Amino acid sequence: MPAVKKKRKKWQWYALLFILPSFILYTLFVIVPTLSSVYLSFTSWDGISTEVRYIGLSNFEEIIQSERVHNALRNTIIITVALVILENLAALVLAVLVDQVRWFRNMFRSIFYFPVLLSGIVMGFIWTIILNYNFGVFNQLLIMVGLESWMKDWLGDPNYALLSIILSTVWKSAGYYMIIYLAGLQSVPGDLTEAAGIDGANRWQQFRHITFPLLAGAMTVCMVLSMIAALKIFDQIAVMTDGGPGFATETLTYIIYKVGFGEMRQGFGTAMALVLFLLILIVTIIQVKFFRKREVQL
């Protein structure tokens, strides 16, 4: 039989009209600002004047040599590592516990998810009041149980300010990742755990060898999302510590804001934003490849 020739669809040029509005908006609000930022990172622009002076790689040289930037990078790494571990650990524990509840399951899901609905600004104000040295709830509870010696200025002491931000952020974000882990738990076949139980495996062994490996996909999503959110943390620091005491809680995102809008050094701030973008891009690619490989192994 003769081969049937496939009819090639004729390209209709007017199809471009359907994507043109979106393309124009995307170009104006994403592509143009991105290219402008790359250019401004090589200037000493203050953000106001019409004069834009090209200074080459001076901004990037200052980033490499600045102790303040090194301190912000160190704080960012500490916060990122701590949040990725603690948020996912707390979310996984909450998901497993909620999944085992038979009565009022939706109520517990709502309670644990409620902090996610709060904005970072509102959450910051709440925890600023809770951790206040003079009238904060936390210190008042310590007084009530006779542990006055444990009272600290949690947001005013450089040794505890970063820890306070980390724990309050875990409280806010764990519920979001809990929902993702719960979705993963729903996809675990009950037959496997029942068969393992018949063979004598206890609950921990069932979780370790069956449930946990099958949650690899959900864990990849949660790890990547929590890492990106941690690298971009801003609201909590702005409200709770303003980067202080001193520079104890200043991160890369916050120093970009302070330098760009507080010190009117838009060129230097844009250069730091470009460095942060590349850092997030590189770390995300490495993390995704690592966890994808782990999914295949499991």
Side-chain angles (χ1 to χ4, degrees):
M1 296 179 63
V4 179
K5 294 184 178 180
K6 293 183 178 180
K7 293 183 179 180
R8 299 181 62 181
K9 292 184 178 180
K10 186 178 179 181
W11 171 255
Q12 304 294 340
W13 64 268
Y14 54 79
L16 293 174
L17 296 177
F18 290 95
I19 65 172
L20 188 60
S22 298
F23 179 75
I24 292 175
L25 291 175
Y26 186 81
T27 301
L28 290 176
F29 293 102
V30 177
I31 297 178
V32 172
T34 300
L35 296 178
S36 300
S37 297
V38 174
Y39 169 71
L40 291 174
S41 65
F42 296 98
T43 69
S44 61
W45 187 47
D46 60 5
I48 298 178
S49 65
T50 57
E51 179 184 357
V52 181
R53 186 166 62 90
Y54 179 81
I55 59 175
L57 297 174
S58 298
N59 287 329
F60 296 95
E61 292 175 357
E62 184 178 350
I63 290 174
I64 295 174
Q65 299 171 0
S66 174
E67 288 295 330
R68 183 181 179 186
V69 175
H70 296 168
N71 175 70
L73 177 60
R74 182 169 57 251
N75 290 339
T76 302
I77 293 174
I78 293 172
I79 289 176
T80 301
V81 173
L83 287 181
V84 168
I85 295 174
L86 295 178
E87 284 179 344
N88 282 275
L89 181 61
L92 184 58
V93 171
L94 290 176
V96 172
L97 292 176
V98 171
D99 190 58
Q100 299 297 322
V101 173
R102 294 185 178 182
W103 301 95
F104 306 109
R105 178 179 298 181
N106 291 333
M107 183 188 71
F108 285 109
R109 289 181 181 180
S110 301
I111 291 174
F112 293 138
Y113 188 78
F114 176 75
V116 180
L117 302 178
L118 300 175
S119 69
I121 300 296
V122 173
M123 185 277 287
F125 279 119
I126 292 173
W127 279 92
T128 298
I129 296 173
I130 292 175
L131 298 175
N132 184 276
Y133 179 77
N134 296 313
F135 57 82
V137 175
F138 194 72
N139 279 343
Q140 293 301 316
L141 289 175
L142 292 177
I143 295 175
M144 290 174 60
V145 297
L147 297 175
E148 293 89 344
S149 60
W150 288 21
M151 291 176 58
K152 305 290 182 183
D153 188 1
W154 301 103
L155 298 177
D157 190 330
N159 296 320
Y160 298 98
L162 202 62
L163 176 63
S164 300
I165 290 175
I166 290 172
L167 294 180
S168 60
T169 304
V170 171
W171 172 82
K172 179 185 185 302
S173 305
Y176 176 79
Y177 304 109
M178 177 198 71
I179 297 299
I180 299 177
Y181 282 119
L182 272 173
L185 288 172
Q186 303 303 316
S187 64
V188 176
D191 297 342
L192 295 178
T193 54
E194 290 178 7
I198 294 173
D199 291 338
N202 56 36
R203 287 196 173 185
W204 166 248
Q205 292 171 330
Q206 294 174 22
F207 176 80
R208 172 67 182 85
H209 297 288
I210 298 176
T211 306
F212 186 72
L214 293 176
L215 288 175
M219 183 170 292
T220 299
V221 174
C222 291
M223 287 285 187
V224 173
L225 291 178
S226 61
M227 185 275 299
I228 294 175
L231 287 173
K232 299 190 302 180
I233 187 172
F234 176 82
D235 296 349
Q236 298 90 316
I237 295 174
V239 174
M240 296 174 68
T241 62
D242 193 28
F247 302 117
T249 58
E250 205 169 53
T251 60
L252 289 178
T253 51
Y254 199 71
I255 196 176
I256 290 171
Y257 162 75
K258 294 286 286 186
V259 169
F261 296 96
E263 302 174 13
M264 306 306 295
R265 299 180 62 196
Q266 287 285 345
F268 182 70
T270 305
M272 287 199 60
L274 185 60
V275 171
L276 178 61
F277 167 75
L278 294 175
L279 176 63
I280 293 175
L281 180 64
I282 293 171
V283 173
T284 301
I285 292 174
I286 295 174
Q287 193 177 35
V288 169
K289 286 187 175 182
F290 171 78
F291 282 106
R292 289 299 183 191
K293 183 179 179 181
R294 176 178 172 273
E295 288 180 29
V296 174
Q297 292 174 346
L298 292 175

